[in-house]
mmCIF file of all heavy atoms in Angstrom:
data_model
loop_
_atom_site.group_PDB
_atom_site.id
_atom_site.type_symbol
_atom_site.label_atom_id
_atom_site.label_comp_id
_atom_site.label_asym_id
_atom_site.label_seq_id
_atom_site.Cartn_x
_atom_site.Cartn_y
_atom_site.Cartn_z
ATOM 1 N N ASN A 1 -4.038 -83.280 -148.995
ATOM 2 C CA ASN A 1 -3.395 -84.586 -148.849
ATOM 3 C C ASN A 1 -2.049 -84.366 -148.055
ATOM 4 O O ASN A 1 -1.787 -85.241 -147.096
ATOM 5 C CB ASN A 1 -3.196 -85.220 -150.237
ATOM 6 C CG ASN A 1 -2.696 -86.688 -149.944
ATOM 7 O OD1 ASN A 1 -3.181 -87.443 -149.237
ATOM 8 N ND2 ASN A 1 -1.496 -86.947 -150.633
ATOM 9 N N VAL A 2 -1.259 -83.359 -148.372
ATOM 10 C CA VAL A 2 0.063 -83.162 -147.691
ATOM 11 C C VAL A 2 -0.313 -82.852 -146.173
ATOM 12 O O VAL A 2 0.311 -83.278 -145.271
ATOM 13 C CB VAL A 2 0.814 -82.022 -148.378
ATOM 14 C CG1 VAL A 2 2.000 -81.566 -147.548
ATOM 15 C CG2 VAL A 2 1.104 -82.379 -149.768
ATOM 16 N N LEU A 3 -1.355 -81.946 -145.938
ATOM 17 C CA LEU A 3 -1.715 -81.491 -144.555
ATOM 18 C C LEU A 3 -2.163 -82.799 -143.764
ATOM 19 O O LEU A 3 -1.701 -82.920 -142.624
ATOM 20 C CB LEU A 3 -2.791 -80.547 -144.652
ATOM 21 C CG LEU A 3 -2.364 -79.146 -145.129
ATOM 22 C CD1 LEU A 3 -3.580 -78.188 -145.140
ATOM 23 C CD2 LEU A 3 -1.237 -78.516 -144.230
ATOM 24 N N THR A 4 -2.910 -83.578 -144.403
ATOM 25 C CA THR A 4 -3.288 -84.875 -143.711
ATOM 26 C C THR A 4 -2.106 -85.715 -143.358
ATOM 27 O O THR A 4 -2.032 -86.244 -142.232
ATOM 28 C CB THR A 4 -4.282 -85.734 -144.586
ATOM 29 O OG1 THR A 4 -5.373 -84.848 -144.904
ATOM 30 C CG2 THR A 4 -4.795 -86.884 -143.980
ATOM 31 N N SER A 5 -1.121 -85.898 -144.286
ATOM 32 C CA SER A 5 0.019 -86.624 -143.944
ATOM 33 C C SER A 5 0.817 -86.048 -142.827
ATOM 34 O O SER A 5 1.363 -86.666 -141.859
ATOM 35 C CB SER A 5 0.958 -86.728 -145.231
ATOM 36 O OG SER A 5 0.301 -87.490 -146.263
ATOM 37 N N PHE A 6 1.043 -84.583 -142.936
ATOM 38 C CA PHE A 6 1.717 -83.980 -141.809
ATOM 39 C C PHE A 6 1.051 -84.200 -140.501
ATOM 40 O O PHE A 6 1.740 -84.435 -139.557
ATOM 41 C CB PHE A 6 1.724 -82.427 -142.085
ATOM 42 C CG PHE A 6 2.838 -81.909 -143.029
ATOM 43 C CD1 PHE A 6 2.969 -80.565 -143.357
ATOM 44 C CD2 PHE A 6 3.822 -82.832 -143.584
ATOM 45 C CE1 PHE A 6 3.905 -80.172 -144.200
ATOM 46 C CE2 PHE A 6 4.788 -82.372 -144.369
ATOM 47 C CZ PHE A 6 4.871 -81.029 -144.684
ATOM 48 N N ASN A 7 -0.267 -83.988 -140.455
ATOM 49 C CA ASN A 7 -0.976 -84.220 -139.139
ATOM 50 C C ASN A 7 -0.949 -85.673 -138.691
ATOM 51 O O ASN A 7 -0.661 -85.874 -137.525
ATOM 52 C CB ASN A 7 -2.431 -83.754 -139.340
ATOM 53 C CG ASN A 7 -2.622 -82.353 -139.503
ATOM 54 O OD1 ASN A 7 -1.788 -81.539 -138.980
ATOM 55 N ND2 ASN A 7 -3.607 -81.905 -140.145
ATOM 56 N N LEU A 8 -1.427 -86.608 -139.474
ATOM 57 C CA LEU A 8 -1.555 -87.943 -138.994
ATOM 58 C C LEU A 8 -0.204 -88.844 -138.911
ATOM 59 O O LEU A 8 -0.156 -89.600 -138.027
ATOM 60 C CB LEU A 8 -2.559 -88.695 -139.922
ATOM 61 C CG LEU A 8 -3.940 -88.033 -139.924
ATOM 62 C CD1 LEU A 8 -4.840 -88.801 -140.976
ATOM 63 C CD2 LEU A 8 -4.557 -88.113 -138.515
ATOM 64 N N ILE A 9 0.598 -88.579 -139.809
ATOM 65 C CA ILE A 9 1.713 -89.434 -139.917
ATOM 66 C C ILE A 9 3.055 -88.834 -139.188
ATOM 67 O O ILE A 9 3.665 -89.498 -138.409
ATOM 68 C CB ILE A 9 2.191 -89.736 -141.443
ATOM 69 C CG1 ILE A 9 1.083 -90.574 -142.083
ATOM 70 C CG2 ILE A 9 3.503 -90.563 -141.414
ATOM 71 C CD1 ILE A 9 1.227 -90.701 -143.607
ATOM 72 N N TYR A 10 3.167 -87.564 -139.451
ATOM 73 C CA TYR A 10 4.412 -86.898 -138.862
ATOM 74 C C TYR A 10 4.126 -86.057 -137.650
ATOM 75 O O TYR A 10 5.129 -85.545 -137.087
ATOM 76 C CB TYR A 10 5.128 -86.145 -139.968
ATOM 77 C CG TYR A 10 5.452 -86.934 -141.200
ATOM 78 C CD1 TYR A 10 4.745 -86.865 -142.367
ATOM 79 C CD2 TYR A 10 6.516 -87.905 -141.170
ATOM 80 C CE1 TYR A 10 5.095 -87.587 -143.463
ATOM 81 C CE2 TYR A 10 6.815 -88.652 -142.147
ATOM 82 C CZ TYR A 10 6.197 -88.521 -143.408
ATOM 83 O OH TYR A 10 6.396 -89.285 -144.432
ATOM 84 N N ASP A 11 2.897 -85.863 -137.273
ATOM 85 C CA ASP A 11 2.538 -85.101 -136.127
ATOM 86 C C ASP A 11 3.036 -83.630 -136.219
ATOM 87 O O ASP A 11 3.505 -83.065 -135.316
ATOM 88 C CB ASP A 11 2.984 -85.807 -134.774
ATOM 89 C CG ASP A 11 2.251 -85.288 -133.588
ATOM 90 O OD1 ASP A 11 1.019 -84.927 -133.814
ATOM 91 O OD2 ASP A 11 2.840 -85.221 -132.463
ATOM 92 N N VAL A 12 3.043 -83.089 -137.384
ATOM 93 C CA VAL A 12 3.381 -81.726 -137.695
ATOM 94 C C VAL A 12 2.124 -80.929 -137.895
ATOM 95 O O VAL A 12 1.350 -81.291 -138.771
ATOM 96 C CB VAL A 12 4.289 -81.607 -138.906
ATOM 97 C CG1 VAL A 12 4.593 -80.178 -139.292
ATOM 98 C CG2 VAL A 12 5.586 -82.366 -138.756
ATOM 99 N N HIS A 13 1.905 -79.878 -137.151
ATOM 100 C CA HIS A 13 0.664 -79.075 -137.212
ATOM 101 C C HIS A 13 0.923 -77.667 -137.556
ATOM 102 O O HIS A 13 1.876 -77.100 -136.924
ATOM 103 C CB HIS A 13 -0.092 -79.220 -135.907
ATOM 104 C CG HIS A 13 -0.319 -80.607 -135.513
ATOM 105 N ND1 HIS A 13 -1.271 -81.429 -136.201
ATOM 106 C CD2 HIS A 13 0.295 -81.491 -134.640
ATOM 107 C CE1 HIS A 13 -1.216 -82.621 -135.535
ATOM 108 N NE2 HIS A 13 -0.285 -82.565 -134.665
ATOM 109 N N LEU A 14 0.209 -77.068 -138.380
ATOM 110 C CA LEU A 14 0.550 -75.743 -138.850
ATOM 111 C C LEU A 14 -0.587 -74.711 -138.725
ATOM 112 O O LEU A 14 -1.706 -75.120 -138.852
ATOM 113 C CB LEU A 14 0.756 -75.852 -140.450
ATOM 114 C CG LEU A 14 1.835 -76.814 -140.897
ATOM 115 C CD1 LEU A 14 1.738 -77.028 -142.400
ATOM 116 C CD2 LEU A 14 3.171 -76.407 -140.501
ATOM 117 N N PRO A 15 -0.301 -73.499 -138.374
ATOM 118 C CA PRO A 15 -1.290 -72.439 -138.465
ATOM 119 C C PRO A 15 -1.307 -71.889 -139.931
ATOM 120 O O PRO A 15 -0.292 -71.597 -140.444
ATOM 121 C CB PRO A 15 -0.698 -71.379 -137.477
ATOM 122 C CG PRO A 15 0.678 -71.535 -137.565
ATOM 123 C CD PRO A 15 0.980 -72.978 -137.774
ATOM 124 N N ILE A 16 -2.407 -71.836 -140.467
ATOM 125 C CA ILE A 16 -2.597 -71.466 -141.921
ATOM 126 C C ILE A 16 -3.528 -70.352 -142.111
ATOM 127 O O ILE A 16 -4.645 -70.338 -141.576
ATOM 128 C CB ILE A 16 -3.000 -72.750 -142.755
ATOM 129 C CG1 ILE A 16 -2.031 -73.885 -142.615
ATOM 130 C CG2 ILE A 16 -3.119 -72.338 -144.293
ATOM 131 C CD1 ILE A 16 -2.516 -75.145 -143.343
ATOM 132 N N VAL A 17 -3.163 -69.342 -142.861
ATOM 133 C CA VAL A 17 -4.022 -68.260 -143.232
ATOM 134 C C VAL A 17 -4.414 -68.378 -144.698
ATOM 135 O O VAL A 17 -3.525 -68.606 -145.633
ATOM 136 C CB VAL A 17 -3.340 -66.885 -143.058
ATOM 137 C CG1 VAL A 17 -4.253 -65.769 -143.476
ATOM 138 C CG2 VAL A 17 -2.905 -66.713 -141.585
ATOM 139 N N VAL A 18 -5.737 -68.441 -144.950
ATOM 140 C CA VAL A 18 -6.191 -68.785 -146.296
ATOM 141 C C VAL A 18 -7.177 -67.670 -146.784
ATOM 142 O O VAL A 18 -8.063 -67.263 -146.018
ATOM 143 C CB VAL A 18 -7.011 -70.117 -146.270
ATOM 144 C CG1 VAL A 18 -7.722 -70.451 -147.611
ATOM 145 C CG2 VAL A 18 -6.084 -71.320 -145.828
ATOM 146 N N SER A 19 -6.990 -67.242 -148.020
ATOM 147 C CA SER A 19 -7.968 -66.308 -148.582
ATOM 148 C C SER A 19 -9.266 -67.039 -148.929
ATOM 149 O O SER A 19 -9.207 -68.273 -149.161
ATOM 150 C CB SER A 19 -7.467 -65.685 -149.880
ATOM 151 O OG SER A 19 -7.207 -66.686 -150.922
ATOM 152 N N TRP A 20 -10.375 -66.332 -148.935
ATOM 153 C CA TRP A 20 -11.677 -67.020 -149.254
ATOM 154 C C TRP A 20 -12.332 -66.444 -150.458
ATOM 155 O O TRP A 20 -13.279 -65.756 -150.520
ATOM 156 C CB TRP A 20 -12.587 -66.793 -148.029
ATOM 157 C CG TRP A 20 -13.808 -67.823 -148.117
ATOM 158 C CD1 TRP A 20 -14.031 -68.814 -149.026
ATOM 159 C CD2 TRP A 20 -14.769 -67.876 -147.033
ATOM 160 N NE1 TRP A 20 -15.151 -69.423 -148.663
ATOM 161 C CE2 TRP A 20 -15.544 -68.929 -147.446
ATOM 162 C CE3 TRP A 20 -15.007 -67.234 -145.918
ATOM 163 C CZ2 TRP A 20 -16.756 -69.295 -146.690
ATOM 164 C CZ3 TRP A 20 -16.087 -67.619 -145.110
ATOM 165 C CH2 TRP A 20 -16.952 -68.651 -145.597
ATOM 166 N N ARG A 21 -11.652 -66.651 -151.647
ATOM 167 C CA ARG A 21 -12.099 -66.212 -152.883
ATOM 168 C C ARG A 21 -13.352 -66.999 -153.207
ATOM 169 O O ARG A 21 -13.475 -68.295 -153.026
ATOM 170 C CB ARG A 21 -11.126 -66.344 -153.947
ATOM 171 C CG ARG A 21 -9.890 -65.420 -153.808
ATOM 172 C CD ARG A 21 -8.981 -65.381 -154.945
ATOM 173 N NE ARG A 21 -9.676 -64.931 -156.122
ATOM 174 C CZ ARG A 21 -9.133 -64.834 -157.223
ATOM 175 N NH1 ARG A 21 -7.872 -65.281 -157.459
ATOM 176 N NH2 ARG A 21 -9.840 -64.308 -158.316
ATOM 177 N N GLY A 22 -14.334 -66.400 -153.855
ATOM 178 C CA GLY A 22 -15.534 -67.086 -154.285
ATOM 179 C C GLY A 22 -16.584 -67.399 -153.182
ATOM 180 O O GLY A 22 -17.583 -68.058 -153.536
ATOM 181 N N HIS A 23 -16.375 -66.868 -151.972
ATOM 182 C CA HIS A 23 -17.373 -67.225 -150.948
ATOM 183 C C HIS A 23 -18.723 -66.626 -151.185
ATOM 184 O O HIS A 23 -19.665 -67.160 -150.722
ATOM 185 C CB HIS A 23 -16.799 -66.763 -149.546
ATOM 186 C CG HIS A 23 -16.777 -65.265 -149.446
ATOM 187 N ND1 HIS A 23 -17.813 -64.512 -148.977
ATOM 188 C CD2 HIS A 23 -15.836 -64.373 -149.761
ATOM 189 C CE1 HIS A 23 -17.508 -63.223 -149.047
ATOM 190 N NE2 HIS A 23 -16.305 -63.167 -149.454
ATOM 191 N N ASP A 24 -18.765 -65.586 -151.966
ATOM 192 C CA ASP A 24 -20.042 -64.961 -152.257
ATOM 193 C C ASP A 24 -20.635 -65.290 -153.636
ATOM 194 O O ASP A 24 -21.598 -64.798 -153.985
ATOM 195 C CB ASP A 24 -19.905 -63.441 -152.127
ATOM 196 C CG ASP A 24 -18.900 -62.796 -152.941
ATOM 197 O OD1 ASP A 24 -18.261 -63.577 -153.808
ATOM 198 O OD2 ASP A 24 -18.688 -61.591 -152.954
ATOM 199 N N GLY A 25 -19.934 -66.123 -154.359
ATOM 200 C CA GLY A 25 -20.425 -66.537 -155.711
ATOM 201 C C GLY A 25 -20.167 -65.516 -156.779
ATOM 202 O O GLY A 25 -20.788 -65.596 -157.820
ATOM 203 N N ASN A 26 -19.419 -64.487 -156.502
ATOM 204 C CA ASN A 26 -19.168 -63.442 -157.400
ATOM 205 C C ASN A 26 -17.657 -63.408 -157.941
ATOM 206 O O ASN A 26 -17.193 -62.256 -158.037
ATOM 207 C CB ASN A 26 -19.597 -62.086 -156.874
ATOM 208 C CG ASN A 26 -20.997 -61.903 -156.647
ATOM 209 O OD1 ASN A 26 -21.797 -62.397 -157.440
ATOM 210 N ND2 ASN A 26 -21.423 -61.370 -155.511
ATOM 211 N N ASP A 27 -17.141 -64.454 -158.138
ATOM 212 C CA ASP A 27 -15.713 -64.575 -158.511
ATOM 213 C C ASP A 27 -15.637 -65.380 -159.786
ATOM 214 O O ASP A 27 -16.599 -65.891 -160.361
ATOM 215 C CB ASP A 27 -14.933 -65.176 -157.401
ATOM 216 C CG ASP A 27 -13.345 -64.721 -157.434
ATOM 217 O OD1 ASP A 27 -12.836 -64.622 -158.510
ATOM 218 O OD2 ASP A 27 -12.828 -64.516 -156.333
ATOM 219 N N ALA A 28 -14.423 -65.707 -160.269
ATOM 220 C CA ALA A 28 -14.275 -66.623 -161.376
ATOM 221 C C ALA A 28 -14.800 -67.906 -161.003
ATOM 222 O O ALA A 28 -14.809 -68.376 -159.861
ATOM 223 C CB ALA A 28 -12.773 -66.774 -161.717
ATOM 224 N N VAL A 29 -15.400 -68.677 -161.919
ATOM 225 C CA VAL A 29 -16.161 -69.883 -161.639
ATOM 226 C C VAL A 29 -15.322 -70.893 -160.850
ATOM 227 O O VAL A 29 -15.856 -71.569 -159.935
ATOM 228 C CB VAL A 29 -16.764 -70.501 -162.866
ATOM 229 C CG1 VAL A 29 -15.724 -71.067 -163.887
ATOM 230 C CG2 VAL A 29 -17.854 -71.519 -162.572
ATOM 231 N N GLU A 30 -14.043 -71.006 -161.164
ATOM 232 C CA GLU A 30 -13.245 -71.987 -160.439
ATOM 233 C C GLU A 30 -13.037 -71.632 -158.975
ATOM 234 O O GLU A 30 -12.840 -72.457 -158.137
ATOM 235 C CB GLU A 30 -11.857 -72.225 -161.113
ATOM 236 C CG GLU A 30 -10.929 -71.027 -161.075
ATOM 237 C CD GLU A 30 -11.137 -69.969 -162.224
ATOM 238 O OE1 GLU A 30 -12.139 -70.067 -162.937
ATOM 239 O OE2 GLU A 30 -10.206 -69.167 -162.413
ATOM 240 N N HIS A 31 -13.103 -70.352 -158.638
ATOM 241 C CA HIS A 31 -13.055 -69.882 -157.260
ATOM 242 C C HIS A 31 -14.418 -69.989 -156.574
ATOM 243 O O HIS A 31 -14.447 -70.276 -155.433
ATOM 244 C CB HIS A 31 -12.517 -68.463 -157.225
ATOM 245 C CG HIS A 31 -11.104 -68.274 -157.723
ATOM 246 N ND1 HIS A 31 -10.031 -68.840 -157.212
ATOM 247 C CD2 HIS A 31 -10.789 -67.616 -158.805
ATOM 248 C CE1 HIS A 31 -8.940 -68.564 -157.884
ATOM 249 N NE2 HIS A 31 -9.375 -67.775 -158.866
#
């Protein structure tokens, strides 16, 4: 939601690095 506001309302764009926990289905259920 914050990123959407930054992009659409304030025209602030960010480069973001994100970990991909749970991509293979072998992590904690919430991940």
Side-chain angles (χ1 to χ4, degrees):
N1 187 50
V2 172
L3 291 174
T4 301
S5 295
F6 276 176
N7 288 331
L8 298 175
I9 297 170
Y10 301 109
D11 201 30
V12 173
H13 307 285
L14 307 167
I16 301 173
V17 178
V18 174
S19 67
W20 199 357
R21 294 191 61 184
H23 68 90
D24 58 2
N26 291 321
D27 207 320
V29 71
E30 67 273 15
H31 298 296

